[in-house]
Each structure stands twice: as structure tokens, then as C-alpha cells.
Amino acid sequence: MTTLKHLSSVGEQPASVLVRAPGKVNLSLHVGPVGPDGYHPLVTVFQAVSLYEDVRATASEDLTLAVQGPGAELVPTDESNLALRAARALAEHTGVEQGAHLEITKGVPVAGGMAGGSADAAATLVALDALWGTGLLREELCAVGATLGADVPFALTGHTAVGTGRGDTLTPAMVHGQFHWAFALRSEGLSTPAVFRHFDAITENDHDMPDGADTALMSALRAGDAERLGAALSNDLQASALDLAPDLRETMAAARTAGALGVIVSGSGPTIAALGRSRQHALAIAAALTVAGVCESAVCASGPVPGARVVV
Ligand code: C5P
């Protein structure tokens, strides 16, 4: 069994560090009118789930990157890569002049609305903090992470949390037990900015956003009640994602037919999240989705799980 350890202690500089960071599903996602910075204010409830990005950072003079695993060929390896950007941001923040070789193993669907790129950035920050011996506080890593993408602080924090602002201001949510999900993956991804832009077009940027997270959802989480959680799932971006990827309607219908307690588009899509009554039920939903041929593949995962952590 793998032992998960907490962050590095200052002064210890290992030759190589492996960090694991989770993907997420938004249990609710309320979107406000776009601001002058091009970002939308959000009220969202994130849950970290057991699909992981692994990042191994090895001491090196230069900063280099390799990506492997499902969908690796779709991940940019140029300077736009979020892990490389995270490494540069951490070096700048700490004044470190070392490099590293980063090896990413994908486990979160690429361009799937589950924040795989943000998980890479989060894992890289934790890995390089340990490798370089910079010993930053978790809050500092979150502040550096927030400059890279709205979902990076949550990938660092994990568990279940209410996100406000751009989604990067986090308040932990109380949760009892585990929830079991089937995720239907689509062969072609969706662009997050495109889904937000289409959302603005169809709502004419005229829509309300609640002050806080839904009380029914938060109460279901506290009670560990999957049935009530399923009924409380919501996503303002869903209509936009379904317009841009209409085939997802069939995927969602198949998940409902398989008895899912709730079915939503995950984040900006196109991954479909279906909540099961149990782990066994989630496996049955994933099997039904695969057999129905309504997705590229289906995987199961449970949440909540912790944020980015050093493995070895
Ligand atoms: O922060 P991140 O780079 O992950 O966001 C990708 C894009 O998603 C942004 O450039 C923006 O178009 C959109 N977005 C948004 N409002 C948010 C988060 C993301 O409009 N709160």
C-alpha cells in the first residue's frame, strides 16, 4: 500500500519526489455575470475524486517535461503547459534557480471538465516545493496556484469545499462518508472558455447567482445522503455544454436509465458525472454506459479525497 505523507520539511532535498493530485467534480456550479477581467464570479461546491494526476519531479539543471497516460498526446508540452507554468511561478516566487524534470502520468480525463491540468499544476507546486526545499505554507502554494488557474487552489486543498470568487476562494464543507461516481468520458474535449462564452450568449449575460451554496446540497453532504445529494446536483454551464456537444444528452439519459441518483455535466464538460447508491452501483452504471456505447469509456471514482500530496 502507498503511504501518503504530508508536505516536505524545510532543508531536506530529495533527488526525486512523486506527488499525486486529484481531479474534481462540481456538485453545484452557479455562474454570475462575466467581469471586466473575462472571469465569471462563481458559487460552486467542489468535490475531489479518486482519479489522479501523478507528477514525478527529478533534480535537473533545466526545466523539462514528459507526459504519459490516456490522452497524453492531447496535452501541450510547450510553455503553455500548466505544470511548466507552475514550476516557473514557484521559481519566481521563491527565487530558486534550479530546474527539474517533470514526468506527468495522466489519470484525469484531458479537457474533460475535471481540472486535470490544474491537478498537474498543484502536484508540480507540491513536488518542487519538496524537491527544492522551499518549505512554503499551503496558503502560499494556493496563492501561487491561483495565479495559474481558478481550479488550482482546490486541487491543492482537495476534499469537498465551497468555491467563491473565480472558484479560488475556498471554504471547507462538512461531509459524512464517501460518494461513488461513474464518469462517462467523451472522445473529444470541450474548451472551458468556449463553454463560458456560449453560456454568456444564451443567457445574454443576464442571470442571478445565489449568495452561498445550496442548503439542500450542503445538508445532503453533512448527512452522507447520496439520494438527496443526487437530487441537489446542479450546473449552470450544463445547457451551454449540451449545446456544444449535443450527443451528451444521450449519455445522460443512459446514466439515468441505469438508475443514477443524479446526473450532471462535470464543470464545463464534456465528462458526465453520474452518482451511484454505492460503489457497486457506480460500477454497474459505468458498465451500462460502456455497453450502451454512449461514451468513449467510463470510469468509477469516489470522493471526497485529499488534495495534492507527496507519495514518495
Ligand atoms: O482559470 P482557468 O485558466 O482554469 O480558466 C480557464 C478559462 O475559463 C478562463 O480563461 C475563462 O475564460 C473561464 N473561466 C471563467 N470564470 C471562472 C473560471 C474560468 O470565465 N471563474
Side-chain angles (χ1 to χ4, degrees), residues 34 38-42 118 148-151 165-167 192-193 196:
V34 66
Y39 273 82
H40 297 71
L42 307 178
S118 300
L148 301 161
D151 291 337
R166 292 174 169 195
T192 302
F196 272 103

Side-chain angles (χ1 to χ4, degrees), residues 99-115:
H101 178 60
L102 302 173
E103 283 173 81
I104 299 176
T105 306
K106 306 288 304 174
V108 179
V110 178
M114 296 191 71

Side-chain angles (χ1 to χ4, degrees), residues 40-280:
H40 297 71
L42 307 178
V43 175
T44 187
V45 180
F46 292 109
Q47 178 156 96
V49 296
S50 58
L51 298 179
Y52 297 103
E53 298 286 281
D54 282 347
V55 175
R56 178 172 290 284
T58 308
S60 170
E61 270 180 35
D62 303 323
L63 186 57
T64 51
L65 174 73
V67 186
Q68 60 184 21
E73 67 286 356
L74 304 170
V75 177
T77 50
D78 62 10
E79 287 300 314
S80 70
N81 183 282
L82 265 181
L84 287 179
R85 286 179 49 210
R88 299 219 185 277
L90 187 68
E92 193 166 320
H93 183 81
T94 57
V96 164
E97 288 183 357
Q98 302 173 50
H101 178 60
L102 302 173
E103 283 173 81
I104 299 176
T105 306
K106 306 288 304 174
V108 179
V110 178
M114 296 191 71
S118 300
D120 293 342
T124 300
L125 290 174
V126 173
L128 293 183
D129 184 54
L131 188 74
W132 293 342
T134 41
L136 263 57
L137 296 173
R138 197 42 83 131
E139 293 73 34
E140 277 182 274
L141 289 178
C142 280
V144 175
T147 66
L148 301 161
D151 291 337
V152 179
F154 181 70
L156 285 161
T157 308
H159 303 285
T160 305
V162 179
T164 53
R166 292 174 169 195
D168 52 356
T169 303
L170 299 171
T171 309
M174 207 192 288
V175 177
H176 184 79
Q178 288 273 297
F179 296 94
H180 303 284
W181 299 91
F183 293 103
L185 280 47
R186 187 171 184 261
S187 53
E188 220 176 305
L190 280 175
S191 142
T192 302
V195 173
F196 272 103
R197 266 198 310 276
H198 187 61
F199 171 82
D200 291 338
I202 57 181
T203 59
E204 296 177 336
N205 211 23
D206 180 21
H207 46 89
D208 294 331
M209 189 178 61
D211 292 337
D214 313 348
T215 49
L217 180 87
M218 300 306 275
S219 154
L221 286 170
R222 274 195 305 275
D225 187 328
E227 194 120 5
R228 283 204 278 134
L229 179 64
L233 299 173
S234 74
N235 182 355
D236 280 1
L237 293 178
Q238 184 159 302
S240 172
L242 292 179
D243 270 359
L244 299 178
D247 52 288
L248 293 179
R249 291 177 198 282
E250 207 187 338
T251 317
M252 295 182 77
R256 286 191 199 101
T257 304
L261 301 176
V263 183
I264 42 164
V265 168
S266 176
S268 58
T271 304
I272 298 297
L275 183 64
R277 281 190 302 274
S278 61
R279 196 177 133 70
Q280 210 51 36

Side-chain angles (χ1 to χ4, degrees), residues 5-61:
K5 290 189 294 187
H6 278 279
L7 283 176
S8 62
S9 48
V10 185
E12 256 178 60
Q13 282 191 247
S16 165
V17 181
L18 176 64
V19 173
R20 171 164 279 194
K24 59 81 187 168
V25 57
N26 300 76
L27 307 178
S28 68
L29 177 51
H30 297 287
V31 181
V34 66
D37 59 355
Y39 273 82
H40 297 71
L42 307 178
V43 175
T44 187
V45 180
F46 292 109
Q47 178 156 96
V49 296
S50 58
L51 298 179
Y52 297 103
E53 298 286 281
D54 282 347
V55 175
R56 178 172 290 284
T58 308
S60 170
E61 270 180 35

